[in-house]
């Protein structure tokens, strides 16, 4: 047992990592996510949560709830306490289901009319039992009548996680789910104490409540007390009707009975499914990093990794979780090339080479999953440049935890080795980093821009626009990747709505602020409005065919206060609740269009920042020709002789690029849009031209 102090403010959930080890057994790593629910806002009758007319789910906790003066005995239970409140107003005569199925405490559900706590009139109530802790009730709702819904604990000690489903026209789920084990087969014999179990759970029609969890228990014989129980898919708010489940269970040495039971949110249990597994213990001698085998200059080493394990702090080889690694080490007698191959291994291998003295502080030198492109699931191969007297660590793992007999072939050849130093400017990074490369070997570098940045150019030992960039190494090299900020029609970096012809409407205008931004220093924000008001941001202009893209964020009352996006008065998309910065794109045809972002509030309640935000807008505009902002051209050559032209001109303007050998006869070679005022054109025919002239112009619209 343990105690965790949950912070008063922070995320909606917390994930804990548990690493469990035992002498002579495989370690296990479990990630468990807990929902964090603070003091309930709807503890008091007057603070009841407003329920939409459509079906709605709620996840809460009544541990810190109270009982008010004049509060009725819910369900006629005099000990009822720790109540939470909702209110529902019907927009038509209908039957309403209120279902607390899936709650983990014995609950009482009660429905009332009238608008004060002291004068409530009972409509319906239900009390949880042993198998179904969260009861359900159904009542006939009348159009326009407001109903008050209370969910309480059976007594002052009854509290916990509450799952509530309110659905007009809904019916309770009385059908048991079904569960099927698809893997492993019954009677399997394994040589590891961890076994992957997977299958399918289904909550059948009609009125499925959804799968709450699948419980997997392991015991020595059927009916015996389980040695371990794993719960899969616990406490999701809305359970899936059908789910593929999987888990890794721990086995006892010898025979094991594995029992699987599915439960839905209504408390219905499936018929148990039982399979048998036999665990026979084995172990490779080089399972652990500190017990690595030493490789000679040439040879073949073989071990069985079926019972191999993954150590605490061990990296994911080739980016895959693996789980059954074995280790070797090699100290280079001189500079050269170390050849490694897992040909003839009986499983899908992962191969990686590192430097470092501990398993948790390794630096990757090279890695490979599949030896040959396009052929997945087989052996791995590496040719690694190594330095004299440096010790290299070699790991072989199985893809997705696969294992079997591994054959590791190695061969060392002395050779000249050069060093490639890689740097990057602000706005991005390069993969891989600085590396040793054998003479005449090739190295492929990929410039990876940060969000809101683009790759610009390679400089240093050579100049290139290629990304990825492959170089043949014949000497020590230094290469730098430069990045540039992405350009937008308006990123609001002027600090106001002045970059293009924005207009605003509604009760309060949109503004530009610096507190909440996606990129840069500024972003637009909806106006400070109150209930039954709206705030709109408009732009009307001449568009070419293309995509409108923008970043948006909203913090509002879910389902009721919304950000809506319109084109020519037609609603295209809408968002509400807590939505972090996200990007949206929508295609538009050529012609004159009006785009609008509108934040609208309903008659009651507010939540979050009560605002919508907009940033990094790209509009495919037709920009009129202007003599006030002539374009400026810069011509440069790459290492291979290719010329390219950088243009700084009018934002979002379309330019045609032309080249000429005599400045008299011109030919077009590229048509680009200067997004944000910048664009680049590459003249692929310039390598063979003895001289070239360049110009760019705006075509007639």
């Amino acid at each position: 047992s343990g105690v965790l102090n949950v912070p008063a403010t922070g995320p909606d959930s917390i994930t804990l990592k548990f690493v469990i080890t035992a002498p002579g057994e495989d370690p296990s790593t479990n990630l468990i996510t807990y929902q964090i629910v603070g003091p309930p806002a709807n503890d008091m009758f007057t603070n009841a949560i407003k329920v939409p007319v459509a079906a709605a789910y709620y996840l809460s906790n009544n541990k810190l709830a109270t009982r008010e003066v004049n509060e009725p005995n819910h369900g006629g239970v005099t000990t009822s306490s720790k109540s939470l409140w909702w209110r529902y107003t019907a927009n038509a005569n209908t039957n309403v289901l209120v279902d607390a199925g899936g709650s983990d405490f014995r609950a009482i559900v009660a429905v009332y009319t009238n608008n004060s706590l002291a004068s409530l009139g009972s409509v319906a109530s239900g009390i949880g039992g042993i198998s179904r802790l969260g009861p359900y009730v159904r009542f006939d709702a009348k159009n326009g009548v407001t109903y008050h819904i209370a969910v309480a604990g059976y007594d002052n000690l009854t509290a916990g996680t509450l799952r509530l489903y309110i659905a007009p026209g809904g019916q309770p789920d009385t059908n048991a789910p079904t569960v099927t084990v698809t893997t492993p087969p019954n009677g399997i014999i394994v040589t590891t104490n961890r076994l992957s179990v997977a299958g399918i759970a289904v909550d059948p029609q009609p009125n499925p409540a959804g799968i709450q969890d699948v419980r997997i228990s392991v015991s020595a014989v059927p009916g015996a007390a389980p040695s371990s129980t794993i719960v899969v898919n616990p406490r999701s708010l809305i359970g899936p009707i059908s789910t593929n489940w999987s888990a890794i269970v721990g086995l006892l040495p010898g025979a094991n009975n594995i029992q699987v039971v599915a439960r839905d949110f209504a408390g219905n249990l499936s018929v148990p499914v039982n399979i048998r597994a036999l665990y026979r213990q084995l172990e490779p001698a080089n399972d652990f990093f500190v017990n690595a085998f030493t490789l000679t200059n040439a040879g073949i080493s073989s071990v069985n990794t079926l019972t191999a394990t993954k150590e605490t702090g061990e990296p994911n080889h080739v980016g895959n979780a693996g789980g059954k690694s074995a280790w070797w080490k090699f100290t280079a007698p001189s500079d050269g090339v170390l050849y490694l191959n897992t040909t003839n291994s009986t499983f899908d291998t992962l191969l990686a080479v590192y430097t470092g003295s501990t398993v948790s502080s390794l630096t990757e030198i090279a890695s490979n999953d599949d030896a040959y492109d396009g052929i997945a699931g087989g052996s791995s191969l590496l040719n690694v440049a190594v330095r004299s007297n440096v010790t290299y660590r070699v790991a072989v793992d199985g893809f997705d935890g696969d294992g079997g007999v591994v054959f590791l072939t190695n061969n060392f050849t002395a050779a000249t080795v050069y060093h490639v130093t890689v740097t990057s400017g602000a706005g991005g990074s390069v993969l891989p980093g600085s590396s040793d490369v054998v003479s005449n070997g090739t190295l492929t570098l990929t410039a990876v821009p940060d969000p809101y940045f683009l790759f610009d150019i390679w400089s240093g030992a050579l100049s290139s626009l290629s990304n990825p960039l492959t170089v043949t190494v014949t000497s020590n090299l230094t290469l730098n990747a430069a990045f540039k900020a992405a350009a937008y029609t308006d990123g609001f970096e002027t600090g106001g709505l002045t970059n293009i012809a924005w207009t605003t409407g509604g009760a309060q205008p949109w503004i530009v602020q610096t507190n909440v931004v996606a990129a840069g220093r500024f972003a637009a924000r909806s106006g400070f409005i109150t209930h039954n008001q709206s705030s709109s941001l408009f732009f009307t202009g001449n568009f070419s065919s293309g995509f409108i893209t923008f970043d948006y964020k909203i913090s509002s009352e879910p389902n009721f206060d919304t950000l809506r996006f319109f084109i020519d008065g037609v609603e295209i998309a809408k968002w509400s609740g807590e939505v972090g910065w996200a990007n949206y794109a929508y295609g538009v045809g050529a012609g004159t269009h009006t785009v609008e972002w509108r934040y609208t509030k309903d008659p009651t309640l507010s939540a979050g920042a009560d605002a919508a935000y907009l940033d990094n807008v790209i509009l495919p505009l037709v920009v009129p020709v202007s003599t006030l902002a002539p374009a400026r051209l810069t011509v440069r050559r790459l290492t291979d002789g290719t010329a390219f032209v950088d243009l700084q001109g009018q934002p979002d303007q379309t330019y045609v690029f032309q080249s000429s050998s005599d400045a008299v006869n011109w030919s077009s070679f590229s048509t680009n849009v200067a997004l944000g005022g910048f664009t680049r054109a590459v003249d692929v025919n310039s390598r063979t031209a003895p001289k070239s002239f360049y110009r760019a112009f705006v075509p007639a619209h």
Side-chain angles (χ1 to χ4, degrees):
S1 64
V3 176
L4 172 69
N5 291 323
V6 180
T9 61
D12 294 330
S13 64
I14 186 169
T15 299
L16 303 182
K17 179 180 180 180
F18 296 87
V19 180
I20 303 97
T21 61
E25 300 293 348
D26 299 336
S28 177
T29 300
N30 293 345
L31 295 177
I32 302 179
T33 299
Y34 295 94
Q35 299 294 325
I36 297 177
V37 181
N42 58 332
D43 181 20
M44 301 299 176
F45 175 85
T46 56
N47 295 333
I49 292 175
K50 180 175 65 176
V51 178
V53 294
Y57 289 88
Y58 298 94
L59 184 66
S60 189
N61 192 301
N62 74 328
K63 183 177 180 180
L64 301 179
T66 60
R67 177 179 174 130
E68 299 177 65
V69 176
N70 294 326
E71 186 168 338
N73 295 326
H74 303 296
V77 177
T78 58
T79 59
S80 62
S81 185
K82 295 183 177 293
S83 57
L84 300 177
W85 290 91
W86 285 260
R87 70 173 187 271
Y88 170 80
T89 302
N91 64 351
N93 293 336
T94 184
N95 173 267
V96 178
L97 171 70
V98 181
D99 193 347
S103 301
D104 62 8
F105 65 95
R106 189 182 184 189
I108 301 172
V109 174
V111 181
Y112 303 93
T113 56
N114 299 333
N115 292 322
S116 68
L117 194 62
S119 64
L120 292 179
S122 178
V123 175
S125 64
I127 303 173
I130 297 176
S131 62
R132 199 185 203 278
L133 297 174
Y136 69 87
V137 299
R138 287 180 293 174
F139 68 94
D140 293 326
K142 305 301 182 183
N143 184 23
V145 176
T146 296
Y147 295 87
H148 303 277
I149 301 169
V151 180
Y154 191 83
D155 55 36
N156 194 46
L157 299 177
T158 306
T161 299
L162 165 67
R163 175 186 177 273
L164 186 63
Y165 176 49
I166 302 175
Q171 296 293 327
D173 179 11
T174 58
N175 297 310
T178 61
V179 66
T180 303
V181 176
T182 57
T183 187
N186 190 25
I188 189 173
I189 300 175
V190 296
T191 55
T192 174
N193 69 321
R194 293 189 299 172
L195 180 64
S196 178
V197 183
I200 302 171
V202 179
D203 196 18
Q205 300 286 352
N207 311 313
I211 300 297
Q212 181 175 359
D213 54 47
V214 176
R215 295 174 179 262
I216 309 163
S217 300
V218 180
S219 59
V221 295
S227 61
S228 64
T229 299
I230 293 176
V231 181
V232 184
N233 299 328
R235 296 293 171 225
S236 58
L237 177 57
I238 304 175
I241 296 174
S242 176
T243 182
N244 295 313
W245 55 267
S246 64
I248 296 178
V249 299
L251 301 180
L252 301 166
N256 291 262
N257 182 75
I258 302 171
Q259 183 177 93
V260 182
V261 178
R263 177 177 61 161
D264 65 18
F265 274 110
N268 302 308
L269 299 177
S270 70
V271 174
V273 174
N274 293 276
I275 62 171
R276 301 271 287 175
L278 179 64
Y279 167 36
R280 292 177 177 172
Q281 294 173 293
L282 296 172
E283 183 179 287
N286 61 335
D287 182 17
F288 294 100
F289 177 86
V290 296
N291 297 328
F293 290 167
T294 299
L295 296 174
T296 60
N297 285 356
I300 300 176
S301 179
S302 177
V303 297
N304 190 321
T305 65
L306 280 175
T307 59
T309 60
K310 184 172 184 175
E311 299 175 66
T312 302
E314 181 175 342
N316 290 337
H317 309 297
V318 204
N320 186 272
K324 297 180 180 179
S325 59
W327 290 91
W328 290 260
K329 59 184 178 181
F330 176 77
T331 302
S334 65
D335 289 358
V337 179
L338 177 62
Y339 168 84
L340 299 165
N341 198 333
T342 62
T343 297
N344 297 323
S345 299
T346 62
F347 61 100
D348 185 2
T349 60
L350 304 168
L351 177 63
V353 177
Y354 303 90
T355 57
S357 58
T358 64
V359 73
S360 60
S361 62
L362 298 175
T363 300
E364 181 180 309
I365 303 301
S367 63
N368 177 254
D369 178 8
D370 300 312
Y372 305 101
D373 291 340
I375 303 178
S379 63
S380 308
L381 183 151
L382 285 173
N383 282 289
V384 185
V386 294
R387 292 290 189 176
S388 175
N389 295 318
V390 175
T391 297
Y392 295 86
R393 314 288 177 162
V394 180
V396 177
D397 204 342
F399 187 88
D400 284 349
D402 203 357
V405 179
V406 56
F407 292 92
L408 179 63
T409 302
N410 73 284
N411 186 67
F412 170 76
T413 304
T416 301
V417 174
Y418 295 111
H419 189 70
V420 179
T421 301
V422 178
T423 60
S424 59
S429 58
V430 179
L431 294 175
S434 300
S435 306
D436 290 323
V437 182
V438 68
S439 178
N440 292 311
T442 60
L443 176 65
T444 298
L445 300 172
T446 301
V448 183
D450 292 337
Y452 307 108
F453 281 84
L454 302 173
F455 168 70
D456 186 22
I457 193 170
W458 295 99
S459 61
L462 55 83
S463 177
S464 176
L465 301 176
S466 299
N467 190 31
L469 172 69
T470 299
V471 294
T472 300
V473 180
T474 57
S475 63
N476 293 326
L477 301 176
T478 298
L479 291 169
N480 179 74
F483 302 87
K484 60 185 179 182
Y488 306 98
T489 303
D490 199 345
F492 306 103
E493 294 307 298
T494 62
L497 300 173
T498 58
N499 200 43
I500 59 176
W502 295 107
T503 60
T504 63
Q508 293 291 332
W510 280 59
I511 62 171
V512 174
Q513 49 80 56
T514 190
N515 295 322
V516 180
V517 300
R521 295 180 56 207
F522 296 98
R525 182 198 189 279
S526 59
F528 293 87
I529 59 175
T530 186
H531 305 304
N532 276 334
Q533 292 184 341
S534 66
S535 176
S536 292
L537 180 65
F538 298 92
F539 176 81
T540 300
N542 187 14
F543 288 68
S544 59
S545 179
F547 282 88
I548 298 172
T549 68
F550 55 88
D551 292 336
Y552 68 93
K553 173 183 170 66
I554 186 169
S555 177
S556 73
E557 181 188 7
N559 304 317
F560 296 100
D561 297 345
T562 60
L563 170 65
R564 301 170 186 265
F565 173 56
F566 298 84
I567 298 179
D568 298 330
V570 178
E571 183 178 299
I572 304 300
K574 66 178 180 179
W575 305 273
S576 70
E578 294 295 332
V579 180
W581 283 110
N583 183 263
Y584 184 77
Y586 191 82
V588 65
T592 299
H593 297 288
T594 296
V595 292
E596 176 190 0
W597 291 266
R598 183 192 305 167
Y599 181 59
T600 304
K601 289 182 60 57
D602 79 332
T604 61
L605 300 184
S606 297
D610 199 16
Y613 303 87
L614 183 67
D615 206 352
N616 305 325
V617 178
I618 297 177
L619 304 175
L621 300 178
V622 175
V623 181
V625 177
S626 171
T627 59
L628 299 178
R632 183 176 70 253
L633 304 184
T634 302
V635 182
R636 289 181 285 173
R637 283 192 183 275
L638 304 175
T639 302
D640 64 1
T642 302
F644 65 95
V645 183
D646 284 347
L647 178 148
Q648 191 69 45
Q650 299 179 52
D652 304 320
Q653 185 63 271
T654 298
Y655 289 91
V656 176
F657 290 82
Q658 293 186 331
S659 64
S660 173
S661 60
D662 56 10
V664 175
N665 299 299
W666 297 87
S667 60
S668 301
F669 66 91
S670 185
T671 300
N672 296 356
V673 175
L675 192 63
F678 175 84
T679 188
R680 173 177 291 168
V682 179
D683 183 6
V684 296
N685 298 317
S686 59
R687 298 178 190 173
T688 58
K691 63 179 179 180
S692 296
F693 300 88
Y694 293 96
R695 70 182 183 185
F697 63 89
V698 177
H701 296 310

